[in-house]
Amino acid sequence: METVKVTEKRAKSKPATEQVEDTPSTSIKDVFEKNISVGVGGPTQSAQKVYVNGIEETNLNVQIDGARQSNNLWHHNANLLLDPGMLKAVTVDAGVSAADAGPAALGGSLRYETKDVDDLLTPGRDYGAFLCGGFASNLDTFTKSGAAYGRSQGVEALGYASHAEGGNYDAGNGDPVPGTGTNLLSALGKVAYTAAGGHRFEASAQHLADDEIRPFRANFAAVRGRTLLSENIFKRSTANFKYSNRQPGKFYDPEIRFYYNDTALSRPNANGGFRPGYFDSAIESFGATAQNRFATPLGEITAGMDFYNDHAQTDNFRDAMFTETARNLGGFAQLRSQPLDWLKLSGGLRIDSQEFDSVDHKHFESTGASPNVALGITPLPDLTLSGSYSYVFGGIQLAEAAIFHTMPYANYSAGVAAQRATNAKAGVSYVVAGIKLDGEVFSTRIQNTPAYLEGEDSFTRINGQAVKTEGFNLGAAYQLADADFGAHYTNTEVTYDDSQLGTLAFYLGSPVGEIIKLHAAYAWPELGVKAGVSSEIALKYRYAPESGNRDLEGYHVYNLFAQWQPRFYRGLTLRAEANNLTDEEYVDRYTAGSAVGFITPLQNPGRSAVISARLEF
């Protein structure tokens, strides 16, 4: 399990130990620039999707502040709308996940966590605020954001808002890419109260909206040489309530959470009435988790129950509303133990029971178990060997909500079965002369994937073939108090029915191949200066000649940044970036449609200069 820290630690009070804080990431791709297991495809908010070892995020348990996300609205659109400006960390379980990570973690889990008041306040202060502004030259995009936060007598409050607005960007060849403008509105509010005895109550609400003119298929630039544009309104609203205790006992460390999530995509037809590609779709979810952590002679056990209810609906402006519902009740227990100094053990079990009501009014019920086990051995002080395995019951996944706006897809086979997956991973980590070297091999196989059988006048949902990813990752990292250097490499092959996966495998995954990620940064704390470079290098991916797919070209992209926090006021941060420094003309490896001859994929932005300022007070 790896946690991606979005920002560095806040500057300390003693200059000798100061670390210059990074400004928030400007895109979700920035967040994962050091994680070789994670790829982000699609250059715009409306098209971006996240992949873990080549498996699409819809096959993972994805949470934002504990709220489970179910967002497979339309295969041409992004699944999850995010604002990295208030992200604190992202925990990535690539493949094997613990039982308490949540249900249906077929290919692992992603847990996004936003900042709290404690993360924003400087030491010794009880209130504060910040204002940010930035401009990106290629995108002609202005970003404005601000927040106010404070605490008093156990009460905490935080309010944040951001708006990014700009035009279409130019690709590396200088051509403008239509439908890539920016109009993202984001708001986040949090309140919390900590009572005597450590009882803590937290509530939060978040809303994001991306409202812009996009390509008719938001993840393609053109189809058969024809570019069509339409309005695309993508929204997400999430609300959370959480109870926990900051003074836990040996047998009492509870956590209770309730959440609500609503993701909607609206594609209005300017001429009114029905037409393929125009619809209103939404997935509304609510759920709860109750768990307790307690100590035993064997180690710490986390046990509890969780529940979710996902409801999808689509209006195609012609027929009655199309709906689907999935409900799941689960129980789990996870043991984490270190019986010996050189041995770590973890094992757990989930039992889930799901009910599924399909769009054609069929009712499905299924129950399954999800065991997992992990082992870590340290035979030498600087050497760690690890291995893990899981078998996962995933239930029946909601169909893509918007697919029902065309009637032929509104039919289910009576034999549709729950998805199930197996995950295995083995790794080694060794530290020599301050350099950390690590490597891992992995495998994930998901069965009963969503698929459709074509009939004379309809398509019937059936159990699809298995999607599988396997490969290995290598990494080297060197860290000092003021420096951070790293190089990471992956060689990943994703297949469907034992054949190479294409670039139109929506809700399954993406081809990966060989990718290298490099990063380096150095800080001069006495000057308040930090500078760095990052790079992504993708080698050419070759398809078998009989596949009918065209090869995916390689690319190499370099990004630079420098920032300054003046000594006279550490609350001010000035930052400059040069993204895609060499003006590379390229399509990201995870971008949809790039291997299909009649599709023009979305080119990534060419060189762009970015300047920003952040003022804390």
Side-chain angles (χ1 to χ4, degrees), residues 149-171:
Y149 37 87
R151 61 186 173 204
S152 177
Q153 299 180 345
V155 178
E156 302 172 12
L158 178 156
Y160 163 84
S162 173
H163 184 222
E165 187 174 18
N168 300 327
Y169 61 74
D170 294 338

Side-chain angles (χ1 to χ4, degrees), residues 48-51 55-60 62 79-80 110:
Q48 279 187 343
K49 294 186 178 184
V50 177
Y51 301 84
I55 298 298
E56 189 178 320
E57 60 196 328
T58 47
N59 297 292
L60 281 68
V62 180
N79 297 313
L80 183 60
L110 285 170

Side-chain angles (χ1 to χ4, degrees), residues 32 50 52 57 60-63 90-92 108-112:
F32 296 113
V50 177
V52 175
E57 60 196 328
L60 281 68
N61 182 289
V62 180
Q63 300 178 16
V90 186
T91 301
V92 183
S109 65
L110 285 170
R111 294 189 290 281
Y112 299 91

Side-chain angles (χ1 to χ4, degrees), residues 244-430:
S244 60
N245 194 297
R246 289 194 165 181
Q247 299 177 18
K250 185 176 181 180
F251 302 107
Y252 180 72
D253 185 6
E255 182 177 306
I256 300 173
R257 185 186 298 275
F258 301 92
Y259 71 85
Y260 170 83
N261 195 78
D262 183 25
T263 302
L265 177 62
S266 178
R267 296 177 51 78
N269 184 356
N271 298 319
F274 169 79
R275 185 183 174 188
Y278 297 99
F279 52 81
D280 284 341
S281 284
I283 298 180
E284 188 179 43
S285 305
F286 62 87
T289 300
Q291 66 180 40
N292 185 51
R293 285 178 288 269
F294 54 94
T296 73
L298 296 176
E300 182 184 83
I301 293 179
T302 302
M305 299 184 69
D306 52 33
F307 164 80
Y308 72 74
N309 184 99
D310 297 339
H311 180 74
Q313 63 180 34
T314 295
D315 181 358
N316 68 355
F317 310 134
R318 180 179 66 180
D319 302 291
M321 191 76 71
F322 301 93
T323 64
E324 277 196 342
T325 303
R327 295 173 295 276
N328 189 90
L329 178 65
F332 57 86
Q334 185 74 29
L335 169 69
R336 295 174 174 90
S337 175
Q338 187 171 359
L340 300 169
D341 291 342
W342 53 270
L343 178 63
K344 291 183 179 180
L345 297 171
S346 178
L349 177 68
R350 285 192 61 90
I351 303 293
D352 288 287
S353 179
Q354 189 202 53
E355 295 185 5
F356 186 92
D357 295 316
S358 64
V359 66
D360 57 348
H361 308 295
K362 291 186 175 71
H363 182 75
F364 300 85
E365 294 184 6
S366 54
T367 300
S370 303
N372 72 86
V373 62
L375 173 70
I377 301 174
T378 308
L380 299 173
D382 296 324
L383 177 65
T384 301
L385 307 175
S386 61
S388 55
Y389 172 84
S390 68
Y391 176 83
V392 184
F393 167 85
I396 299 175
Q397 187 182 104
L398 283 177
E400 170 194 342
I403 203 170
F404 300 132
H405 84 280
T406 56
M407 281 291 290
Y409 287 89
N411 189 30
Y412 271 64
S413 164
V416 170
Q419 289 182 272
R420 300 176 188 271
T422 54
N423 297 277
K425 184 161 57 175
V428 59
S429 176
Y430 182 61

